[in-house]
Every structure is written in structure tokens, then in C-alpha cells.
């Protein structure tokens, strides 16, 4: 039914209907979400142990750094931390635009699709791994952008990493979605200027997550899958 999903998206653009961003409730029992999907929420990260490990390690690094208990990292980390401090006082839109361009430039020359075949059993990189050059690809870039945004005081509930299927390249691709007052901005490796999610029709969301929550995304026309998502033991909830 992917073709129908894409037709619905194209028709909505032609009609001038903007996407509602994420977490807008719908009558169907799910939420209207990024890239025209319907999502169901699980209030824990049990299904993403790799991400839980990243969050725990990253939080540990930050606590140590703030307490002065660790020696400064490589030059790239020093540059990154100094840049984060420079974001203080900026408006959310300015922070989002700055972070997307800065991280893309910081990681310039790395393969943005190196992790396109990442599996659910692979270890995921921490922000420090990414800065140190130990990880490449859209997932690595998204992890570092997420951490940067959070350190710049973008609230956890307003930012997510989104795992998508890039239908043009037929591969998995990770982006960061940030809810702003004028829409949901997408931070991507394929451009330094964030785009509104309503402008993108080639990414099909699979799942998304922040520090506390994950969401499963479905084609709006796939009602059977949506019902299964809130069935016994499915781990999804409709609010």
C-alpha cells in the first residue's frame, strides 16, 4: 500500500494542506505524525536497547564533563562543546538551523549512508564515538545532532530521531525532527538548511524515539497494522 500512501501525501501537498507535525491526535486512535504517518507511542525504550545504552553512556559522559572529572577529549570535541555554549540565548529556530549546518560541516567527508544497512543487533554510536570518528552515516549524524540540540536546551518532548525508508535510494535513513512553533523541522545529512517535514515526500517513517519514548509509524491506510499496534503485547498505545 506504499503507493497509496505516497498518493495521499502528494494530494495533500497539491491541496495546500500542511502536515500537522507530530503527536496531533486523530479520530482513528493514533496520532497524525511526521511525513504523513500515523504513530503509536510506547512510554519506554525497551524495544531499543541500543539507544538506551547510548543515552546512558552519553549522560554519564556529560555528568563527568560538567564535574570536571574527565580530561578534555580530542580537538573536535573541544570545538563541539564550545559551539554548544555559543548557542545559549538563541531562539529555537536559530538553534535548529545552526546545529544542522554545524554538525554537517563538522562531519564533512564522512559517508552519510555508511550505516544504511545497520541492523537491530548492531551497537549504536555515542556522541563521543561520532566526534572521535569511530562512526559514520546518518544514524551517527542524527545521534550527534540530537545530543547537541538537547545540550542547547531544546526540550526532549520536542525532538526525536526518526528512522525512515528512503524510497528513492531504497535504504534506511535517519533524520532528526524538531517541533517548532511554525512546524516540524527536519535535520538531515543531505542539506545544511533544515526543511519542513511537509516538504519531504521521499522518506517513509518506520519508528522514532527521544530519551524516554519511542513511536511506531504506519501508513495511514494500513488499518490492520494500526490495530495490531495497540493489541495485547504490542507495546504501543493510542492516547
Amino acid at each position: 500500500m506504499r503507493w497509496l500512501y505516497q498518493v495521499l501525501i502528494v494530494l495533500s501537498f497539491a491541496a495546500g494542506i500542511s502536515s500537522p507535525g507530530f503527536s496531533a491526535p486523530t479520530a482513528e486512535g493514533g496520532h497524525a505524525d511526521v511525513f504523513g504517518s500515523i504513530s503509536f507511542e510506547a512510554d519506554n525504550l525497551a524495544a531499543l536497547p541500543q539507544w538506551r545504552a547510548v543515552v546512558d553512556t552519553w549522560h554519564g559522559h556529560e555528568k563527568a564533563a560538567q564535574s570536571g572529572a574527565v580530561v578534555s577529549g580530542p580537538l573536535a570535541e573541544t570545538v563541539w562543546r564550545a559551539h554548544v555554549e555559543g548557542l545559549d540565548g538563541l531562539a529555537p529556530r536559530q538553534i535548529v538551523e545552526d546545529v544542522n549546518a554545524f554538525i554537517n560541516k563538522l562531519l564533512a567527508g564522512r559517508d552519510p549512508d555508511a550505516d544504511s544497512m545497520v541492523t537491530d543487533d548492531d551497537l549504536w554510536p555515542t556522541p563521543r564515538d561520532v566526534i572521535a570518528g569511530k562512526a559514520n552515516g546518518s544514524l551517527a549524524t542524527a545521534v550527534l545532532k540530537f545530543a547537541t540540540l538537547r545540550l542547547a536546551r531544546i526540550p526532549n518532548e520536542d525532538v526525536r530521531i526518526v528512522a525512515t525508508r528512503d524510497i528513492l535510494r531504497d535504504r534506511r535513513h535517519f533524520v532528526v525532527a524538531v517541533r517548532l512553533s511554525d512546524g516540524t523541522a527536519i535535520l538531515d545529512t543531505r542539506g545544511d538548511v533544515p526543511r519542513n517535514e511537509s516538504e519531504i515526500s521521499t522518506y517513509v517513517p518506520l519508528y522514532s524515539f527521544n530519551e524516554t519514548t519511542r513511536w511506531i509509524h504506519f501508513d495511514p491506510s494500513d488499518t490492520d497494522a494500526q490495530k495490531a499496534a495497540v493489541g495485547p503485547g504490542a507495546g504501543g498505545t493510542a492516547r
Side-chain angles (χ1 to χ4, degrees), residues 21-60:
F22 50 76
S23 295
T26 69
E28 291 80 5
H31 289 182
D33 216 314
V34 290
F35 305 124
S37 66
I38 297 295
S39 72
F40 293 85
E41 174 185 321
D43 59 359
N44 62 73
L45 299 172
L48 290 174
Q50 307 93 329
W51 174 241
R52 283 195 301 174
V54 168
V55 170
D56 290 345
T57 302
W58 164 46
H59 285 178

Side-chain angles (χ1 to χ4, degrees), residues 144-224:
L144 187 56
K145 288 178 181 178
F146 181 95
T148 307
L149 291 166
R150 291 290 292 116
L151 291 175
R153 297 183 176 83
I154 298 295
N156 180 58
E157 60 268 23
D158 288 340
V159 59
R160 299 187 208 166
I161 295 176
V162 186
T164 76
R165 170 63 59 180
D166 181 341
I167 61 175
L168 290 182
R169 298 170 177 83
D170 192 26
R171 62 182 59 177
R172 195 182 313 198
H173 185 69
F174 292 84
V175 298
V176 176
V178 183
R179 180 172 53 194
L180 299 170
S181 60
D182 58 348
T184 298
I186 301 299
L187 288 71
D188 200 349
T189 58
R190 297 182 177 135
D192 290 343
V193 179
R195 291 185 290 169
N196 191 290
E197 56 94 19
S198 64
E199 301 172 355
I200 303 172
S201 61
T202 56
Y203 293 164
V204 177
L206 306 173
Y207 58 93
S208 61
F209 49 93
N210 58 22
E211 290 179 48
T212 57
T213 309
R214 69 178 175 89
W215 291 262
I216 306 170
H217 296 259
F218 296 100
D219 180 325
S221 65
D222 194 347
T223 55
D224 289 340

